[in-house]
Short mmCIF file of all heavy atoms in Angstrom, two decimals:
data_model
loop_
_atom_site.label_atom_id
_atom_site.label_comp_id
_atom_site.label_asym_id
_atom_site.label_seq_id
_atom_site.Cartn_x
_atom_site.Cartn_y
_atom_site.Cartn_z
N MET A 1254 4.01 27.27 -12.45
CA MET A 1254 2.89 26.59 -11.84
C MET A 1254 3.42 25.74 -10.68
O MET A 1254 4.37 25.00 -10.82
CB MET A 1254 2.18 25.72 -12.86
CG MET A 1254 1.16 24.79 -12.27
SD MET A 1254 0.57 23.61 -13.46
CE MET A 1254 -1.15 23.99 -13.40
N THR A 1255 2.78 25.83 -9.55
CA THR A 1255 3.14 25.03 -8.39
C THR A 1255 2.23 23.82 -8.32
O THR A 1255 1.01 23.93 -8.46
CB THR A 1255 2.98 25.86 -7.10
OG1 THR A 1255 3.82 27.00 -7.20
CG2 THR A 1255 3.36 25.05 -5.89
N VAL A 1256 2.83 22.67 -8.10
CA VAL A 1256 2.08 21.43 -7.95
C VAL A 1256 2.25 20.98 -6.50
O VAL A 1256 3.37 20.79 -6.03
CB VAL A 1256 2.59 20.34 -8.91
CG1 VAL A 1256 1.84 19.04 -8.67
CG2 VAL A 1256 2.47 20.79 -10.35
N SER A 1257 1.16 20.82 -5.81
CA SER A 1257 1.25 20.38 -4.43
C SER A 1257 1.20 18.86 -4.35
O SER A 1257 0.61 18.20 -5.19
CB SER A 1257 0.12 20.98 -3.59
OG SER A 1257 -1.12 20.50 -4.06
N VAL A 1258 1.87 18.34 -3.34
CA VAL A 1258 1.92 16.89 -3.14
C VAL A 1258 1.37 16.59 -1.76
O VAL A 1258 1.82 17.18 -0.77
CB VAL A 1258 3.37 16.36 -3.25
CG1 VAL A 1258 3.42 14.89 -2.93
CG2 VAL A 1258 3.93 16.64 -4.63
N ASN A 1259 0.43 15.70 -1.71
CA ASN A 1259 -0.10 15.24 -0.44
C ASN A 1259 0.33 13.79 -0.25
O ASN A 1259 0.08 12.96 -1.11
CB ASN A 1259 -1.63 15.32 -0.40
CG ASN A 1259 -2.13 16.74 -0.40
OD1 ASN A 1259 -1.48 17.60 0.17
ND2 ASN A 1259 -3.25 16.98 -1.04
N ARG A 1260 0.98 13.52 0.85
CA ARG A 1260 1.40 12.15 1.13
C ARG A 1260 0.55 11.60 2.27
O ARG A 1260 0.55 12.15 3.35
CB ARG A 1260 2.87 12.11 1.50
CG ARG A 1260 3.76 12.56 0.37
CD ARG A 1260 5.22 12.38 0.74
NE ARG A 1260 6.07 13.03 -0.22
CZ ARG A 1260 6.56 12.43 -1.30
NH1 ARG A 1260 6.29 11.19 -1.54
NH2 ARG A 1260 7.34 13.09 -2.12
N SER A 1261 -0.14 10.53 1.96
CA SER A 1261 -0.95 9.86 2.97
C SER A 1261 -0.23 8.58 3.36
O SER A 1261 0.49 7.98 2.56
CB SER A 1261 -2.34 9.54 2.43
OG SER A 1261 -3.01 10.72 2.10
N ARG A 1262 -0.44 8.17 4.59
CA ARG A 1262 0.23 6.97 5.06
C ARG A 1262 -0.72 6.23 5.99
O ARG A 1262 -1.42 6.82 6.80
CB ARG A 1262 1.49 7.35 5.83
CG ARG A 1262 2.21 6.17 6.40
CD ARG A 1262 3.41 6.62 7.22
NE ARG A 1262 3.94 5.51 7.95
CZ ARG A 1262 5.21 5.20 7.99
NH1 ARG A 1262 6.09 5.92 7.35
NH2 ARG A 1262 5.63 4.16 8.67
N VAL A 1263 -0.71 4.93 5.87
CA VAL A 1263 -1.43 4.07 6.79
C VAL A 1263 -0.46 2.95 7.18
O VAL A 1263 0.33 2.49 6.36
CB VAL A 1263 -2.74 3.52 6.17
CG1 VAL A 1263 -2.48 2.67 4.96
CG2 VAL A 1263 -3.56 2.78 7.19
N GLN A 1264 -0.48 2.59 8.45
CA GLN A 1264 0.47 1.60 8.95
C GLN A 1264 -0.30 0.51 9.71
O GLN A 1264 -1.18 0.81 10.50
CB GLN A 1264 1.46 2.27 9.88
CG GLN A 1264 2.55 1.36 10.39
CD GLN A 1264 3.61 2.14 11.17
OE1 GLN A 1264 3.84 3.32 10.90
NE2 GLN A 1264 4.23 1.49 12.11
N TYR A 1265 0.06 -0.73 9.43
CA TYR A 1265 -0.56 -1.87 10.10
C TYR A 1265 0.54 -2.76 10.66
O TYR A 1265 1.67 -2.76 10.17
CB TYR A 1265 -1.39 -2.70 9.11
CG TYR A 1265 -2.59 -1.96 8.56
CD1 TYR A 1265 -2.54 -1.36 7.31
CD2 TYR A 1265 -3.76 -1.88 9.29
CE1 TYR A 1265 -3.64 -0.69 6.80
CE2 TYR A 1265 -4.87 -1.21 8.78
CZ TYR A 1265 -4.80 -0.62 7.54
OH TYR A 1265 -5.89 0.04 7.05
N THR A 1266 0.19 -3.57 11.64
CA THR A 1266 1.10 -4.57 12.17
C THR A 1266 0.64 -5.92 11.67
O THR A 1266 -0.50 -6.33 11.91
CB THR A 1266 1.10 -4.55 13.72
OG1 THR A 1266 1.52 -3.25 14.14
CG2 THR A 1266 2.04 -5.59 14.28
N GLY A 1267 1.53 -6.63 10.98
CA GLY A 1267 1.21 -7.96 10.48
C GLY A 1267 1.21 -8.97 11.61
O GLY A 1267 1.91 -8.81 12.61
N ASN A 1268 0.41 -10.04 11.44
CA ASN A 1268 0.34 -11.07 12.46
C ASN A 1268 0.62 -12.46 11.91
O ASN A 1268 0.43 -13.46 12.59
CB ASN A 1268 -1.02 -11.04 13.16
CG ASN A 1268 -2.17 -11.30 12.21
OD1 ASN A 1268 -1.97 -11.69 11.06
ND2 ASN A 1268 -3.38 -11.09 12.67
N GLY A 1269 1.07 -12.53 10.66
CA GLY A 1269 1.39 -13.82 10.05
C GLY A 1269 0.20 -14.54 9.45
O GLY A 1269 0.38 -15.58 8.82
N SER A 1270 -1.01 -14.01 9.64
CA SER A 1270 -2.18 -14.67 9.05
C SER A 1270 -3.07 -13.72 8.25
O SER A 1270 -3.69 -14.13 7.29
CB SER A 1270 -3.00 -15.39 10.12
OG SER A 1270 -3.48 -14.48 11.07
N THR A 1271 -3.13 -12.45 8.64
CA THR A 1271 -3.95 -11.47 7.92
C THR A 1271 -3.25 -11.09 6.62
O THR A 1271 -2.05 -10.82 6.60
CB THR A 1271 -4.17 -10.21 8.77
OG1 THR A 1271 -4.79 -10.60 10.00
CG2 THR A 1271 -5.03 -9.19 8.05
N THR A 1272 -4.00 -11.10 5.52
CA THR A 1272 -3.42 -10.75 4.22
C THR A 1272 -3.99 -9.47 3.64
O THR A 1272 -3.35 -8.84 2.80
CB THR A 1272 -3.62 -11.88 3.19
OG1 THR A 1272 -5.01 -12.16 3.07
CG2 THR A 1272 -2.87 -13.15 3.60
N ALA A 1273 -5.20 -9.06 4.05
CA ALA A 1273 -5.86 -7.89 3.45
C ALA A 1273 -5.79 -6.68 4.39
O ALA A 1273 -6.11 -6.80 5.58
CB ALA A 1273 -7.31 -8.22 3.13
N PHE A 1274 -5.37 -5.55 3.83
CA PHE A 1274 -5.23 -4.32 4.59
C PHE A 1274 -5.87 -3.18 3.80
O PHE A 1274 -5.60 -3.01 2.61
CB PHE A 1274 -3.75 -4.03 4.85
CG PHE A 1274 -3.07 -5.11 5.65
CD1 PHE A 1274 -2.48 -6.19 5.02
CD2 PHE A 1274 -3.04 -5.04 7.03
CE1 PHE A 1274 -1.87 -7.20 5.75
CE2 PHE A 1274 -2.43 -6.04 7.78
CZ PHE A 1274 -1.84 -7.11 7.13
N ALA A 1275 -6.69 -2.38 4.47
CA ALA A 1275 -7.41 -1.29 3.82
C ALA A 1275 -6.49 -0.13 3.47
O ALA A 1275 -5.60 0.23 4.24
CB ALA A 1275 -8.53 -0.79 4.73
N VAL A 1276 -6.70 0.42 2.29
CA VAL A 1276 -6.05 1.67 1.88
C VAL A 1276 -7.14 2.73 2.06
O VAL A 1276 -8.09 2.76 1.30
CB VAL A 1276 -5.58 1.61 0.41
CG1 VAL A 1276 -4.99 2.93 -0.02
CG2 VAL A 1276 -4.60 0.48 0.21
N ASN A 1277 -7.01 3.56 3.09
CA ASN A 1277 -8.10 4.47 3.43
C ASN A 1277 -7.89 5.88 2.92
O ASN A 1277 -8.38 6.84 3.50
CB ASN A 1277 -8.33 4.47 4.94
CG ASN A 1277 -7.09 4.88 5.71
OD1 ASN A 1277 -6.08 5.23 5.12
ND2 ASN A 1277 -7.15 4.82 7.02
N PHE A 1278 -7.15 6.00 1.82
CA PHE A 1278 -6.99 7.30 1.17
C PHE A 1278 -7.13 7.11 -0.33
O PHE A 1278 -7.00 6.01 -0.84
CB PHE A 1278 -5.64 7.95 1.52
CG PHE A 1278 -4.45 7.06 1.28
CD1 PHE A 1278 -3.86 6.98 0.04
CD2 PHE A 1278 -3.93 6.31 2.31
CE1 PHE A 1278 -2.77 6.16 -0.19
CE2 PHE A 1278 -2.83 5.48 2.10
CZ PHE A 1278 -2.25 5.41 0.85
N ASN A 1279 -7.42 8.18 -1.02
CA ASN A 1279 -7.66 8.12 -2.46
C ASN A 1279 -6.35 8.16 -3.25
O ASN A 1279 -5.42 8.86 -2.87
CB ASN A 1279 -8.53 9.29 -2.90
CG ASN A 1279 -9.89 9.25 -2.25
OD1 ASN A 1279 -10.37 8.20 -1.86
ND2 ASN A 1279 -10.53 10.38 -2.14
N ALA A 1280 -6.32 7.42 -4.33
CA ALA A 1280 -5.19 7.43 -5.26
C ALA A 1280 -5.76 7.48 -6.67
O ALA A 1280 -6.83 6.93 -6.94
CB ALA A 1280 -4.33 6.19 -5.08
N ILE A 1281 -5.04 8.13 -7.55
CA ILE A 1281 -5.49 8.21 -8.94
C ILE A 1281 -5.14 6.92 -9.67
O ILE A 1281 -5.93 6.36 -10.40
CB ILE A 1281 -4.88 9.43 -9.65
CG1 ILE A 1281 -5.35 10.71 -8.96
CG2 ILE A 1281 -5.27 9.45 -11.12
CD1 ILE A 1281 -4.65 11.96 -9.42
N THR A 1282 -3.90 6.43 -9.46
CA THR A 1282 -3.46 5.19 -10.09
C THR A 1282 -2.84 4.27 -9.05
O THR A 1282 -2.41 4.71 -7.98
CB THR A 1282 -2.41 5.46 -11.18
OG1 THR A 1282 -1.22 5.95 -10.56
CG2 THR A 1282 -2.90 6.44 -12.22
N LYS A 1283 -2.75 3.00 -9.38
CA LYS A 1283 -2.13 2.03 -8.48
C LYS A 1283 -0.65 2.33 -8.27
O LYS A 1283 -0.09 2.04 -7.23
CB LYS A 1283 -2.31 0.61 -9.02
CG LYS A 1283 -3.74 0.14 -8.98
CD LYS A 1283 -3.88 -1.26 -9.53
CE LYS A 1283 -5.34 -1.72 -9.46
NZ LYS A 1283 -5.49 -3.10 -9.90
N ALA A 1284 -0.02 2.93 -9.25
CA ALA A 1284 1.41 3.24 -9.17
C ALA A 1284 1.72 4.27 -8.09
O ALA A 1284 2.86 4.39 -7.64
CB ALA A 1284 1.92 3.73 -10.52
N GLU A 1285 0.71 5.01 -7.65
CA GLU A 1285 0.92 6.01 -6.60
C GLU A 1285 1.03 5.40 -5.22
O GLU A 1285 1.42 6.07 -4.28
CB GLU A 1285 -0.23 7.02 -6.61
CG GLU A 1285 -0.26 7.86 -7.84
CD GLU A 1285 -1.42 8.83 -7.82
OE1 GLU A 1285 -2.43 8.56 -7.15
OE2 GLU A 1285 -1.31 9.86 -8.47
N ILE A 1286 0.67 4.15 -5.07
CA ILE A 1286 0.69 3.49 -3.77
C ILE A 1286 1.97 2.66 -3.65
O ILE A 1286 2.26 1.82 -4.49
CB ILE A 1286 -0.56 2.63 -3.58
CG1 ILE A 1286 -1.79 3.55 -3.59
CG2 ILE A 1286 -0.47 1.81 -2.30
CD1 ILE A 1286 -3.10 2.85 -3.51
N VAL A 1287 2.72 2.92 -2.59
CA VAL A 1287 3.96 2.18 -2.31
C VAL A 1287 3.72 1.35 -1.07
O VAL A 1287 3.33 1.87 -0.02
CB VAL A 1287 5.16 3.13 -2.10
CG1 VAL A 1287 6.40 2.36 -1.74
CG2 VAL A 1287 5.38 4.00 -3.32
N VAL A 1288 3.96 0.04 -1.18
CA VAL A 1288 3.77 -0.87 -0.05
C VAL A 1288 5.15 -1.25 0.47
O VAL A 1288 5.99 -1.75 -0.28
CB VAL A 1288 2.98 -2.12 -0.48
CG1 VAL A 1288 2.90 -3.13 0.66
CG2 VAL A 1288 1.59 -1.73 -0.95
N THR A 1289 5.36 -0.99 1.76
CA THR A 1289 6.63 -1.28 2.40
C THR A 1289 6.39 -2.16 3.61
O THR A 1289 5.48 -1.91 4.40
CB THR A 1289 7.32 0.03 2.86
OG1 THR A 1289 7.45 0.90 1.74
CG2 THR A 1289 8.68 -0.24 3.44
N VAL A 1290 7.20 -3.21 3.75
CA VAL A 1290 7.14 -4.07 4.92
C VAL A 1290 8.44 -3.89 5.68
O VAL A 1290 9.53 -3.94 5.10
CB VAL A 1290 6.94 -5.55 4.51
CG1 VAL A 1290 7.04 -6.46 5.73
CG2 VAL A 1290 5.61 -5.74 3.82
N THR A 1291 8.32 -3.67 6.99
CA THR A 1291 9.50 -3.50 7.84
C THR A 1291 9.66 -4.74 8.70
O THR A 1291 8.75 -5.12 9.43
CB THR A 1291 9.35 -2.26 8.74
OG1 THR A 1291 9.11 -1.12 7.91
CG2 THR A 1291 10.59 -2.02 9.57
N THR A 1292 10.81 -5.38 8.57
CA THR A 1292 11.13 -6.57 9.35
C THR A 1292 12.46 -6.35 10.04
O THR A 1292 13.45 -6.05 9.37
CB THR A 1292 11.20 -7.83 8.44
OG1 THR A 1292 9.97 -7.94 7.72
CG2 THR A 1292 11.44 -9.09 9.25
N ALA A 1293 12.47 -6.49 11.35
CA ALA A 1293 13.68 -6.29 12.16
C ALA A 1293 14.33 -4.95 11.85
O ALA A 1293 15.55 -4.84 11.76
CB ALA A 1293 14.66 -7.44 11.95
N GLY A 1294 13.51 -3.92 11.66
CA GLY A 1294 14.01 -2.57 11.43
C GLY A 1294 14.47 -2.28 10.01
O GLY A 1294 14.94 -1.19 9.72
N VAL A 1295 14.29 -3.23 9.10
CA VAL A 1295 14.71 -3.06 7.71
C VAL A 1295 13.48 -2.94 6.82
O VAL A 1295 12.63 -3.84 6.82
CB VAL A 1295 15.60 -4.23 7.25
CG1 VAL A 1295 15.99 -4.08 5.78
CG2 VAL A 1295 16.83 -4.35 8.12
N ASP A 1296 13.38 -1.83 6.07
CA ASP A 1296 12.27 -1.60 5.15
C ASP A 1296 12.50 -2.34 3.84
O ASP A 1296 13.61 -2.34 3.30
CB ASP A 1296 12.10 -0.12 4.85
CG ASP A 1296 11.61 0.67 6.04
OD1 ASP A 1296 11.04 0.06 6.96
OD2 ASP A 1296 11.77 1.90 6.05
N SER A 1297 11.44 -2.94 3.33
CA SER A 1297 11.49 -3.64 2.04
C SER A 1297 10.27 -3.21 1.23
O SER A 1297 9.13 -3.45 1.64
CB SER A 1297 11.47 -5.14 2.28
OG SER A 1297 11.39 -5.84 1.06
N ILE A 1298 10.52 -2.58 0.09
CA ILE A 1298 9.42 -2.16 -0.79
C ILE A 1298 8.95 -3.38 -1.57
O ILE A 1298 9.74 -4.10 -2.16
CB ILE A 1298 9.86 -1.04 -1.75
CG1 ILE A 1298 10.23 0.20 -0.94
CG2 ILE A 1298 8.77 -0.73 -2.77
CD1 ILE A 1298 10.77 1.34 -1.76
N LYS A 1299 7.65 -3.62 -1.54
CA LYS A 1299 7.06 -4.78 -2.20
C LYS A 1299 6.59 -4.42 -3.60
O LYS A 1299 6.34 -3.27 -3.92
CB LYS A 1299 5.90 -5.32 -1.35
CG LYS A 1299 6.34 -5.78 0.03
CD LYS A 1299 7.43 -6.83 -0.08
CE LYS A 1299 7.96 -7.27 1.26
NZ LYS A 1299 9.04 -8.23 1.14
N THR A 1300 6.46 -5.45 -4.43
CA THR A 1300 6.11 -5.28 -5.85
C THR A 1300 4.68 -5.72 -6.11
O THR A 1300 4.31 -6.85 -5.78
CB THR A 1300 7.09 -6.10 -6.73
OG1 THR A 1300 8.42 -5.71 -6.42
CG2 THR A 1300 6.81 -5.89 -8.20
N LEU A 1301 3.92 -4.81 -6.72
CA LEU A 1301 2.55 -5.11 -7.12
C LEU A 1301 2.55 -6.27 -8.10
O LEU A 1301 3.32 -6.30 -9.05
CB LEU A 1301 1.90 -3.87 -7.76
CG LEU A 1301 0.48 -4.01 -8.28
CD1 LEU A 1301 -0.48 -4.34 -7.16
CD2 LEU A 1301 0.05 -2.74 -9.00
N GLY A 1302 1.69 -7.26 -7.86
CA GLY A 1302 1.59 -8.41 -8.74
C GLY A 1302 2.51 -9.55 -8.34
O GLY A 1302 2.26 -10.70 -8.68
N THR A 1303 3.58 -9.24 -7.61
CA THR A 1303 4.50 -10.27 -7.13
C THR A 1303 4.26 -10.56 -5.65
O THR A 1303 4.12 -11.72 -5.26
CB THR A 1303 5.97 -9.83 -7.32
OG1 THR A 1303 6.20 -9.59 -8.72
CG2 THR A 1303 6.94 -10.89 -6.83
N HIS A 1304 4.22 -9.50 -4.85
CA HIS A 1304 4.05 -9.65 -3.40
C HIS A 1304 2.63 -9.37 -2.93
O HIS A 1304 2.22 -9.85 -1.88
CB HIS A 1304 5.01 -8.72 -2.65
CG HIS A 1304 6.43 -8.97 -2.97
ND1 HIS A 1304 7.21 -8.08 -3.67
CD2 HIS A 1304 7.23 -10.03 -2.69
CE1 HIS A 1304 8.42 -8.58 -3.81
NE2 HIS A 1304 8.46 -9.75 -3.23
N TYR A 1305 1.90 -8.57 -3.70
CA TYR A 1305 0.55 -8.18 -3.30
C TYR A 1305 -0.28 -7.80 -4.51
O TYR A 1305 0.24 -7.56 -5.59
CB TYR A 1305 0.58 -7.02 -2.30
CG TYR A 1305 1.04 -5.71 -2.91
CD1 TYR A 1305 0.13 -4.78 -3.38
CD2 TYR A 1305 2.39 -5.40 -3.01
CE1 TYR A 1305 0.54 -3.58 -3.95
CE2 TYR A 1305 2.81 -4.20 -3.56
CZ TYR A 1305 1.88 -3.30 -4.03
OH TYR A 1305 2.30 -2.12 -4.60
N THR A 1306 -1.59 -7.79 -4.31
CA THR A 1306 -2.52 -7.25 -5.30
C THR A 1306 -3.16 -6.01 -4.69
O THR A 1306 -3.14 -5.82 -3.47
CB THR A 1306 -3.61 -8.27 -5.67
OG1 THR A 1306 -4.36 -8.61 -4.51
CG2 THR A 1306 -3.01 -9.53 -6.30
N LEU A 1307 -3.72 -5.19 -5.53
CA LEU A 1307 -4.33 -3.95 -5.08
C LEU A 1307 -5.64 -3.75 -5.80
O LEU A 1307 -5.68 -3.75 -7.03
CB LEU A 1307 -3.38 -2.78 -5.35
CG LEU A 1307 -3.88 -1.38 -5.03
CD1 LEU A 1307 -4.18 -1.24 -3.54
CD2 LEU A 1307 -2.84 -0.35 -5.46
N THR A 1308 -6.70 -3.62 -5.04
CA THR A 1308 -8.00 -3.29 -5.63
C THR A 1308 -8.32 -1.86 -5.27
O THR A 1308 -8.37 -1.50 -4.10
CB THR A 1308 -9.11 -4.23 -5.11
OG1 THR A 1308 -9.13 -4.17 -3.69
CG2 THR A 1308 -8.87 -5.65 -5.55
N THR A 1309 -8.46 -1.05 -6.27
CA THR A 1309 -8.82 0.35 -6.09
C THR A 1309 -9.28 0.90 -7.43
O THR A 1309 -8.95 0.37 -8.47
CB THR A 1309 -7.65 1.18 -5.52
OG1 THR A 1309 -8.11 2.49 -5.21
CG2 THR A 1309 -6.49 1.26 -6.46
N ALA A 1310 -10.04 1.94 -7.37
CA ALA A 1310 -10.47 2.65 -8.57
C ALA A 1310 -9.91 4.06 -8.49
O ALA A 1310 -9.57 4.53 -7.41
CB ALA A 1310 -11.99 2.68 -8.65
N PRO A 1311 -9.80 4.75 -9.62
CA PRO A 1311 -9.31 6.13 -9.55
C PRO A 1311 -10.11 6.97 -8.55
O PRO A 1311 -11.33 6.89 -8.51
CB PRO A 1311 -9.51 6.64 -10.98
CG PRO A 1311 -9.44 5.41 -11.82
CD PRO A 1311 -10.09 4.33 -10.98
N PHE A 1312 -9.38 7.70 -7.73
CA PHE A 1312 -9.97 8.57 -6.71
C PHE A 1312 -10.78 7.81 -5.67
O PHE A 1312 -11.75 8.33 -5.14
CB PHE A 1312 -10.82 9.67 -7.35
CG PHE A 1312 -10.06 10.53 -8.32
CD1 PHE A 1312 -10.23 10.36 -9.68
CD2 PHE A 1312 -9.16 11.47 -7.87
CE1 PHE A 1312 -9.51 11.14 -10.59
CE2 PHE A 1312 -8.45 12.25 -8.76
CZ PHE A 1312 -8.62 12.08 -10.12
N ALA A 1313 -10.40 6.58 -5.39
CA ALA A 1313 -11.15 5.78 -4.42
C ALA A 1313 -10.20 5.03 -3.48
O ALA A 1313 -9.03 4.87 -3.77
CB ALA A 1313 -12.03 4.77 -5.16
N THR A 1314 -10.74 4.59 -2.37
CA THR A 1314 -9.97 3.78 -1.43
C THR A 1314 -9.93 2.36 -1.96
O THR A 1314 -10.57 2.03 -2.96
CB THR A 1314 -10.62 3.82 -0.04
OG1 THR A 1314 -11.94 3.31 -0.14
CG2 THR A 1314 -10.65 5.23 0.52
N GLY A 1315 -9.18 1.48 -1.29
CA GLY A 1315 -9.08 0.11 -1.79
C GLY A 1315 -8.51 -0.83 -0.75
O GLY A 1315 -8.51 -0.54 0.45
N THR A 1316 -7.96 -1.95 -1.23
CA THR A 1316 -7.41 -2.98 -0.35
C THR A 1316 -6.11 -3.52 -0.95
O THR A 1316 -6.05 -3.85 -2.12
CB THR A 1316 -8.41 -4.14 -0.19
OG1 THR A 1316 -9.64 -3.62 0.31
CG2 THR A 1316 -7.88 -5.20 0.76
N VAL A 1317 -5.09 -3.60 -0.10
CA VAL A 1317 -3.84 -4.29 -0.44
C VAL A 1317 -3.99 -5.71 0.10
O VAL A 1317 -4.28 -5.89 1.29
CB VAL A 1317 -2.62 -3.62 0.22
CG1 VAL A 1317 -1.38 -4.49 0.11
CG2 VAL A 1317 -2.35 -2.26 -0.41
N THR A 1318 -3.82 -6.71 -0.77
CA THR A 1318 -3.90 -8.10 -0.34
C THR A 1318 -2.57 -8.78 -0.65
O THR A 1318 -2.19 -8.90 -1.82
CB THR A 1318 -5.06 -8.83 -1.05
OG1 THR A 1318 -6.28 -8.12 -0.80
CG2 THR A 1318 -5.19 -10.26 -0.53
N PHE A 1319 -1.88 -9.20 0.40
CA PHE A 1319 -0.59 -9.86 0.24
C PHE A 1319 -0.76 -11.29 -0.23
O PHE A 1319 -1.71 -11.97 0.15
CB PHE A 1319 0.18 -9.87 1.57
CG PHE A 1319 0.79 -8.54 1.91
CD1 PHE A 1319 0.11 -7.61 2.66
CD2 PHE A 1319 2.07 -8.22 1.48
CE1 PHE A 1319 0.65 -6.38 2.97
CE2 PHE A 1319 2.62 -7.00 1.78
CZ PHE A 1319 1.93 -6.08 2.53
N ILE A 1320 0.16 -11.76 -1.06
CA ILE A 1320 0.18 -13.15 -1.51
C ILE A 1320 0.52 -14.04 -0.31
O ILE A 1320 -0.10 -15.07 -0.09
CB ILE A 1320 1.20 -13.36 -2.66
CG1 ILE A 1320 0.97 -12.36 -3.79
CG2 ILE A 1320 1.20 -14.80 -3.15
CD1 ILE A 1320 -0.38 -12.37 -4.45
N ILE A 1321 1.54 -13.65 0.46
CA ILE A 1321 1.92 -14.32 1.69
C ILE A 1321 1.81 -13.29 2.81
O ILE A 1321 2.36 -12.21 2.73
CB ILE A 1321 3.37 -14.84 1.62
CG1 ILE A 1321 3.49 -15.87 0.49
CG2 ILE A 1321 3.81 -15.45 2.95
CD1 ILE A 1321 4.91 -16.32 0.20
N SER A 1322 1.09 -13.64 3.85
CA SER A 1322 0.81 -12.66 4.92
C SER A 1322 2.09 -12.20 5.61
O SER A 1322 2.98 -13.00 5.86
CB SER A 1322 -0.14 -13.27 5.95
OG SER A 1322 0.43 -14.42 6.51
N PRO A 1323 2.15 -10.90 5.89
CA PRO A 1323 3.33 -10.37 6.59
C PRO A 1323 3.23 -10.62 8.10
O PRO A 1323 2.18 -10.86 8.62
CB PRO A 1323 3.25 -8.87 6.30
CG PRO A 1323 1.81 -8.60 6.03
CD PRO A 1323 1.23 -9.86 5.48
#
């Protein structure tokens, strides 16, 4: 059986004050969404519940809200 993988990506530029960013693609679980912040060319994967919250429902879009704005 072949399982296909679709990778969706959305990219935003932080401004130091905005904390909420739309996730405009569907995910089944929150674990499927990886939040990465790039600072000075270095990627840093953020942790759900520590660095950001995520509101989404199965098969629905949602919002990533950072605790401290990027």
Side-chain angles (χ1 to χ4, degrees):
M1254 169 190 239
T1255 301
V1256 177
S1257 64
V1258 175
N1259 291 326
R1260 296 185 191 269
S1261 297
R1262 178 184 170 132
V1263 62
Q1264 184 173 331
Y1265 295 99
T1266 300
N1268 61 10
S1270 61
T1271 302
T1272 57
F1274 299 89
V1276 177
N1277 58 4
F1278 52 85
N1279 298 335
I1281 298 171
T1282 67
K1283 292 180 179 183
E1285 293 179 334
I1286 297 176
V1287 177
V1288 175
T1289 304
V1290 173
T1291 304
T1292 305
V1295 177
D1296 291 340
S1297 174
I1298 296 176
K1299 299 303 177 182
T1300 305
L1301 178 62
T1303 300
H1304 301 111
Y1305 69 95
T1306 61
L1307 176 62
T1308 55
T1309 187
F1312 302 104
T1314 60
T1316 303
V1317 168
T1318 304
F1319 284 91
I1320 308 301
I1321 298 173
S1322 60

